[in-house]
Amino acid sequence: MRIDVFTIFPDLVEGFASQALLGKAQDKGLLDVRAHDLRAETTDPHRTVDDAPFGGGAGMVLMAEPVFRAVEAVDPPRPLFLLGPGGRTLDQPFARELADGDGFSLLCGRYEGVDARVVDHLVDGEISIGDYVLAGGEVAALVVIEAVGRLVPGVMGNHASGDDESFSHGLLEYPHYTRPAELRGWEVPEVLRSGDHGRIARWRAAQALARTIRDRPDLIEARGGVTSADEKLLREFDLA
Ligand code: JCQ
């Protein structure tokens, strides 16, 4: 999987992608993240990439020509996505769709926005990571790269896959515990130390369900509500 990123902060993107899980995936040849400096193809002494908006107003606009030139110098994997709040919101199914391809590219906007001709004639789509405003697209690009990268076959190593975790089954995770068995008077639930693996699996499923009902009822609605089997499971552990 190749992911090319166009940004005025290529070191930030490369630094992040070279660490931990993504760094190991790159070492293993499973993932290839390439950051490209939007200033690379500028020709003026100040390597300018921003200019004032036509029509006036506050702030600056990321210029079209440096972006076209940087992208055309590389011929990166398509689709090329702009990061911004107007796009399709990243969720687990979208991350899975991106991970099923061979690669894609990301354009990080900055300033007040990007010249509209980039949007109209260069990029293929837009990705949002949520309804809030960032100072630039870099952090959003890192979120996309991490969410997608961990789904690439082989990247998760020890963990069989990313798919047994939150959201892939549409529920929040059950609570996790490690040693010590008692911490400041708070004990690990007895069931987890019982050795009864069937009961442990049912307790975890019941906990995941109860927490999702409590904290994310929208996820319960999305999977079609609470079934009678769900209610039986909750009752087994006095959760309903
Ligand atoms: C991404 N949610 C918010 C910042 C301008 C497209 O132009 C710009 C893009 C950004 C960065 O993206 C976000 C964002 N998902 O702010 C400024």
Side-chain angles (χ1 to χ4, degrees), residues 15-95:
F16 181 85
S18 70
Q19 302 291 313
L21 184 83
L22 297 178
K24 290 192 179 71
Q26 296 210 81
D27 293 344
K28 286 194 265 182
L30 300 170
L31 187 66
D32 179 11
V33 178
R34 302 186 194 182
H36 307 284
D37 190 347
L38 286 171
R39 298 187 196 276
E41 302 297 321
T42 55
T43 50
D44 66 306
H46 291 108
R47 309 181 81 202
T48 310
V49 295
D50 63 321
D51 203 348
F54 275 112
M60 301 292 273
V61 175
L62 184 63
M63 297 163 68
E65 190 64 7
V67 176
F68 272 91
R69 289 172 61 94
V71 170
E72 286 164 352
V74 170
D75 190 22
R78 295 276 178 163
L80 169 62
F81 297 105
L82 176 67
L83 281 312
R88 174 178 173 191
T89 304
L90 185 71
D91 57 11
Q92 201 60 26
F94 191 10

Side-chain angles (χ1 to χ4, degrees), residues 82-85 109-114 127-130 132-137 140:
L82 176 67
L83 281 312
R110 274 269 151 184
Y111 317 110
E112 301 313 305
V114 180
I127 300 176
S128 169
I129 63 159
Y132 36 80
V133 180
L134 302 171

Side-chain angles (χ1 to χ4, degrees), residues 38-227:
L38 286 171
R39 298 187 196 276
E41 302 297 321
T42 55
T43 50
D44 66 306
H46 291 108
R47 309 181 81 202
T48 310
V49 295
D50 63 321
D51 203 348
F54 275 112
M60 301 292 273
V61 175
L62 184 63
M63 297 163 68
E65 190 64 7
V67 176
F68 272 91
R69 289 172 61 94
V71 170
E72 286 164 352
V74 170
D75 190 22
R78 295 276 178 163
L80 169 62
F81 297 105
L82 176 67
L83 281 312
R88 174 178 173 191
T89 304
L90 185 71
D91 57 11
Q92 201 60 26
F94 191 10
R96 170 58 67 188
E97 282 176 37
L98 294 170
D100 284 343
D102 297 328
F104 57 91
S105 299
L106 300 170
L107 171 60
C108 304
R110 274 269 151 184
Y111 317 110
E112 301 313 305
V114 180
D115 189 296
R117 289 162 294 192
V118 169
V119 178
D120 294 343
H121 305 296
L122 185 65
V123 307
D124 302 300
E126 189 166 330
I127 300 176
S128 169
I129 63 159
D131 289 343
Y132 36 80
V133 180
L134 302 171
E138 284 77 13
V139 167
L142 299 180
V143 169
V144 173
I145 293 166
E146 181 159 313
V148 173
R150 64 187 287 286
L151 298 178
V152 171
V155 169
M156 285 291 275
N158 183 25
H159 302 232
S161 86
D163 255 9
D164 57 349
E165 294 190 16
S166 283
F167 287 108
S168 294
H169 46 53
L171 296 176
L172 301 180
E173 272 283 72
Y174 52 78
H176 301 276
Y177 295 90
T178 186
R179 291 183 291 177
E182 191 206 306
L183 174 84
R184 301 184 180 197
W186 300 302
E187 288 195 351
V188 172
E190 199 282 322
V191 58
L192 296 179
R193 295 186 284 155
S194 69
D196 183 343
H197 297 291
R199 191 149 189 276
I200 289 169
R202 292 199 307 285
W203 181 85
R204 286 175 166 169
Q207 286 288 327
L209 185 58
R211 290 161 62 109
T212 310
I213 291 168
R214 185 190 66 193
D215 296 338
R216 291 296 305 276
D218 58 307
L219 296 179
I220 298 294
E221 281 309 302
R223 70 196 271 281
V226 177
T227 67

